[in-house]
Amino acid sequence: MNVLQVITKGEVGGAQSHVRTLCAELQGRGVHVEVAIGGTRPEPLAIDLQALGLPVHRIAALGNRLHPLPLWRATRELLRLVRERRPDLLHAHSAMAGVAARIAGALAGVPVVYTVHGFAFKPGHPPLRRAIAWATECLLAPLTRRLVCVSAHEQALARALPLPRRRVRVIANGVEDLPRAASALSGSTGHTGPISAVMVARMAPPKRPDLLLQALARVRDLRGEELPAHFLGSGPDLAAHRALAERLDLRTVRFEGDVPDVPAHLARHAVFVLLSDHEGLPISLIEAMRAGMAIVASDLPGVRELLPDAECALHVPPEAGALAQALQQLIESPATRARLGAAARRRYERHYTAERMGDAVQALYADALRGLPSPTP
């Protein structure tokens, strides 16, 4: 089986992490994988994939803008690549790659699987963007051999599209396990240093680092000392968040930017925080579950699929006061941190390993190539 993965950008992010993990898993199963990435810069995903020995192709015109001219150019470039490489299947990730791949696949007679890492027409996006995304998905539905949703919440949204339910599948994100010495099972069962928190997120909507900064200031005011916190990730809002930390006079906050070894950084902290306005199935949370960390996260459908109740994580509304209370609880109770971390690790082992994801995707590929209906979930 020859599969061409297509993704809009190779920056640091959840979809990119998913593609890297999926490619490594498929390669180990004997699937021939090549990857097409938008843009021309040597971004982290391309570097990682080349280190795995995978062919990486550049689609220079492919980007995040839904503009007819660059989209036409990107589709033409991708069509040329498909005709040259002759894959059995295209697997697209992210919105613009999903558009270009489905059109190119239809023109080349190659079936397309499209993984939605979060629909752009769901609440939380600007109204105009939602309308354009909805119309685009409706128009391209007939060109989608299989639609993969990363969570049941996204699948529920997909049911409003003109796409037979048998073509829609839920395949949860997964990440490779690490030796316990590497992951250190931090936060609860392995972390022995001073209590600190970490948030891994791109500094751009829908992520809300600002809420964590405000909560840290409240914790300081209540306790008389700060809870140290590190922010991993870069993005267009990084400068604004740095400025907010300065205005709040937070002395132990560190903005690390993009880092090469996230698990090593997680092992240095006791508490993992993820705050967002909306989510699909966040990979950063799965990485924290793998590390056995005590987790505080936004109360969102995709988050509750990963961590369903208070036995696994603390869920908070989008409000700094509630987050400050959750952090205070974890600071004061090592037993709570240990309980949450152990429960999160167990859920990772049962549901969110790379092996489980690889099994499901490989079965879906075989099903899509046969042209047979997928089992109804």
Side-chain angles (χ1 to χ4, degrees), residues 32-366:
H32 179 78
V33 182
E34 301 187 21
V35 186
I37 302 176
T40 58
R41 294 189 301 159
E43 293 178 309
L45 177 60
I47 295 170
D48 288 348
L49 294 172
Q50 288 167 342
L52 292 172
L54 298 179
V56 176
H57 309 278
R58 287 293 180 178
I59 307 295
L62 184 59
N64 284 330
R65 291 175 54 215
L66 184 58
H67 188 279
L69 184 57
L71 180 58
W72 175 75
R73 289 173 176 166
T75 303
R76 184 179 62 179
E77 286 183 58
L78 182 58
L79 178 60
R80 185 183 302 116
L81 177 64
V82 170
R83 287 173 170 164
E84 174 189 326
R85 306 305 297 177
R86 302 176 64 85
D88 299 311
L89 189 75
L90 294 178
H91 188 169
H93 307 262
S94 62
M96 292 304 100
V99 175
R102 283 179 283 183
I103 296 173
L107 293 174
V110 177
V112 179
V113 172
Y114 173 41
T115 291
V116 180
H117 295 275
F119 281 115
F121 58 75
K122 63 186 173 185
H125 290 286
L128 179 59
R129 184 181 178 190
R130 291 175 62 186
I132 293 172
W134 168 259
T136 301
E137 290 301 330
C138 288
L139 287 171
L140 294 176
L143 308 184
T144 311
R145 179 67 65 91
R146 294 292 182 268
L147 181 72
V148 178
C149 299
V150 296
S151 69
H153 175 63
E154 298 291 326
Q155 182 191 41
L157 294 172
R159 286 174 178 161
L161 296 172
L163 189 67
R165 289 192 178 187
R166 66 179 182 273
R167 294 193 194 176
V168 181
R169 297 287 297 276
V170 174
I171 301 178
N173 290 326
V175 298
E176 307 101 323
D177 201 0
L178 298 173
R180 288 179 180 248
S183 66
L185 288 179
S186 62
S188 56
T189 56
H191 187 277
T192 57
I195 300 301
S196 59
V198 61
M199 180 170 175
V200 180
R202 188 167 184 267
M203 296 290 157
K207 310 302 184 187
R208 296 296 305 275
D210 58 308
L211 291 178
L212 177 53
L213 291 169
Q214 294 164 15
L216 291 170
R218 293 191 181 211
V219 169
R220 176 200 59 205
D221 295 342
L222 287 169
R223 296 178 54 83
E225 61 180 354
E226 288 186 26
L227 171 67
H230 287 206
F231 292 80
L232 310 185
S234 62
D237 293 343
L238 177 57
H241 295 316
R242 286 184 187 274
L244 177 58
E246 291 180 6
R247 289 198 302 273
L248 294 170
D249 195 28
L250 292 169
R251 307 292 182 86
T252 61
V253 164
R254 300 288 181 269
F255 293 91
E256 304 285 352
D258 295 331
V259 297
D261 190 348
V262 170
H265 282 265
L266 295 186
R268 300 169 188 163
H269 301 279
V271 176
F272 185 92
V273 181
L274 182 67
L275 301 169
S276 309
D277 288 328
H278 54 83
E279 285 286 356
L281 199 79
I283 288 177
S284 63
L285 272 187
I286 302 176
E287 291 175 332
M289 294 164 65
R290 174 183 63 187
M293 301 184 75
I295 294 170
V296 184
S298 296
D299 192 1
L300 296 168
V303 173
R304 282 205 175 267
E305 286 187 44
L306 282 171
L307 300 158
D309 51 43
E311 293 302 312
C312 305
L314 301 183
H315 303 94
V316 295
E319 196 273 313
L323 175 57
Q325 291 178 4
L327 293 175
Q328 181 83 346
Q329 179 182 350
L330 294 178
I331 292 169
E332 294 176 349
S333 177
T336 300
R337 297 198 303 271
R339 173 176 57 80
L340 294 176
R345 171 71 193 188
R346 287 194 298 271
R347 281 195 61 79
Y348 161 73
E349 290 173 349
R350 293 171 183 168
H351 303 290
Y352 301 109
T353 63
E355 291 80 8
R356 282 180 174 271
M357 180 178 69
D359 288 343
V361 170
Q362 192 171 19
L364 181 75
Y365 286 173

